[in-house]
Amino acid sequence: MRRGVLRTGFVGWLLLAGGCGNVNPAPYEWKLPLGFPDPAVPEDNPMSTAKVELGRRLFYDKRLSANGTQSCASCHRQEYAFTDGRTTALGSTGEHHRRNSMSLANVAYAASLTWADPVVPDLEAQALVPLFGTHPVELGMAGQETLLLQRLSEDARYPKLFAQAFPEQRQPVSMASVVRAIAAFERTLLSGGSPYDRYTYGDEVDALSPSAMRGMKLFFSQRLGCLHCHRGFAFSDSVKHKLMAFPEVTFHNTNLYNVDGHGAYPATDQGLAEFTGKPEDMGRFRSPTLRNVAVTAPYMHDGSIATLSEVLDHYAAGGRACAQGSGPSPYQSEFIQGFTLTAEEKQDLLSFLESLTDTKFLTDPRFSDPFASTP
């Protein structure tokens, strides 16, 4: 818990140092997909068009890493629904991480922002982790805040962009402004134009194939129980939005591992238990969104399942540990009960999961690399 408290305290200090942040010269116009509620936006970081565009540049700028080799987008690539296609992430210094990069699709609605950390309160605080974290190293800027601000201040465009985004700040180019802008951009990464959405919210009766239709009925059936952890517009059960009094924050053990026959996970990553110290939190991780899941392989917190077909095998067996002979875990979720599928049913379910792919989101120029077309 201590590391999380320190991170939260640090971002609080940054935001206090940066000023009140209550001026919003050009409000951002949300164009929410049908069926989506208004996102919850912190009062001290209101959305604006200028702030979002600044955040987009910062998100793709490799000068935010100490050695100039990586940006936020290095681990969150648009064509992969802002994942990276790797088993586990790779930091700017070449350090391999222990976890798979999560999708940023609809991250504005995420009530928890990592696989198993319950104490990162918002996207502003989360942005500090890749920037300044030391274990593992991601962007590697720990202790080099002055260098980062110098790089940005000496750029021909950034001082003006920061001043437009944060006109109330005496010194617009600041760490507080950097994390606020990145968070603002990330909140715009909304994905809600898949065939499933067009069928469900747009009344396009032909948007889903007959196979995907059958798979949708299977997905939302009590027999399979997928809807318990992947529900609603977000296809996740860890959700927050403007209409909610309190966010839903949940973590689950899917019996991916049972290394000792008593529910233990590998010592390298034991999930929520690392923060709470509670045995019952062994192997509990956040349920990621299933939107665009067909392009976000490999799967699970450690990227240890290569394909969607294998993911279905995992849940059908009541957890991979059961399939490998280790048996059920005393800590596994009550929703992991196992089920049987015919070959046709499995294909139908895969067709439905593929129907959650929002191809426009994967190519939308509003979310693309601004440096790719900049001389």
Side-chain angles (χ1 to χ4, degrees):
M1 293 291 287
R2 183 176 299 172
R3 287 187 298 160
V5 171
L6 286 174
R7 285 202 297 265
T8 304
F10 183 39
V11 75
W13 175 83
L14 281 178
L15 298 183
L16 286 172
C20 63
N22 290 324
V23 177
N24 190 359
Y28 180 78
E29 182 182 353
W30 291 106
K31 296 181 180 178
L32 299 176
L34 292 174
F36 280 45
D38 287 338
V41 178
E43 292 184 1
D44 60 3
N45 191 24
M47 297 288 287
S48 73
T49 301
K51 194 181 296 181
V52 168
E53 187 53 35
L54 170 61
R56 177 182 169 220
R57 293 186 69 86
L58 292 169
F59 184 87
Y60 282 96
D61 197 332
K62 292 182 179 180
R63 284 172 290 186
L64 265 66
S65 60
N67 58 16
T69 62
Q70 285 193 348
S71 66
C72 304
S74 298
C75 292
H76 300 284
R77 297 171 56 181
Q78 184 179 9
E79 66 268 31
Y80 296 142
F82 293 93
T83 64
D84 62 4
R86 296 179 179 273
T87 299
T88 58
L90 183 67
S92 60
T93 61
E95 181 178 356
H96 288 272
H97 298 188
R98 62 177 178 167
R99 290 180 179 166
N100 183 261
S101 294
M102 300 189 84
S103 172
L104 297 185
N106 300 327
V107 72
Y109 299 103
S112 54
L113 296 168
T114 69
W115 280 103
D117 187 340
V119 298
V120 178
D122 48 43
L123 287 169
E124 288 77 6
Q126 193 282 328
L128 295 171
V129 179
L131 275 168
F132 301 115
T134 57
H135 185 68
V137 171
E138 296 182 62
L139 297 177
M141 294 302 303
Q144 303 196 60
E145 295 89 341
T146 300
L147 172 62
L148 173 56
L149 296 179
Q150 179 182 344
R151 288 175 176 177
L152 300 178
S153 297
E154 292 175 350
D155 181 271
R157 300 184 182 186
Y158 273 126
K160 180 178 179 180
L161 292 174
F162 272 91
Q164 291 172 341
F166 300 97
E168 77 284 3
Q169 302 292 343
R170 294 186 299 274
Q171 295 180 330
V173 183
S174 67
M175 282 310 309
S177 296
V178 168
V179 298
R180 281 177 169 148
I182 292 174
F185 170 67
E186 290 175 336
R187 289 190 174 99
T188 70
L189 301 177
L190 302 181
S191 176
S194 69
Y196 165 80
D197 294 297
R198 299 201 307 270
Y199 173 83
T200 303
Y201 303 109
D203 297 325
E204 292 186 29
V205 294
D206 297 328
L208 294 181
S209 68
S211 177
M213 288 282 291
R214 294 191 298 268
M216 181 173 65
K217 292 179 181 179
L218 284 168
F219 183 90
F220 290 113
S221 70
Q222 289 298 328
R223 173 184 152 202
L224 269 62
C226 309
L227 75 166
H228 293 298
C229 300
H230 300 284
R231 60 175 180 258
F233 74 96
F235 279 87
S236 173
D237 64 352
S238 189
V239 178
K240 68 176 179 181
H241 55 76
K242 191 174 182 179
L243 300 178
M244 298 176 67
F246 301 99
E248 298 176 2
V249 182
T250 55
F251 302 91
H252 303 280
N253 180 313
T254 66
N255 198 23
L256 187 65
Y257 295 101
N258 187 355
V259 297
D260 62 353
H262 300 287
Y265 267 49
T268 53
D269 198 350
Q270 299 188 335
L272 187 63
E274 295 180 359
F275 290 88
T276 67
K278 298 178 180 179
E280 60 268 28
D281 287 336
M282 175 65 67
R284 292 181 64 192
F285 294 90
R286 169 187 157 194
S287 298
T289 180
L290 294 187
R291 288 187 172 277
N292 304 291
V293 68
V295 302
T296 63
Y299 304 100
M300 315 309 278
H301 71 278
D302 58 355
S304 62
I305 298 184
T307 68
L308 274 179
S309 178
E310 292 173 288
V311 171
L312 296 185
D313 292 341
H314 161 79
Y315 287 110
R320 187 174 64 185
C322 276
Q324 295 175 344
S326 299
S329 165
Y331 306 122
Q332 74 186 64
S333 168
E334 61 182 319
F335 303 127
I336 309 299
Q337 298 292 328
F339 49 79
T340 58
L341 289 174
T342 67
E344 182 182 17
E345 286 177 328
K346 184 177 182 180
Q347 184 54 56
D348 290 341
L349 194 54
L350 289 171
S351 295
F352 171 67
L353 294 173
E354 290 166 358
S355 80
L356 300 177
T357 302
D358 181 355
T359 55
K360 182 178 180 181
F361 174 73
L362 305 180
T363 58
D364 194 322
R366 294 176 301 166
F367 312 140
S368 66
D369 183 356
F371 298 100
S373 58
T374 300

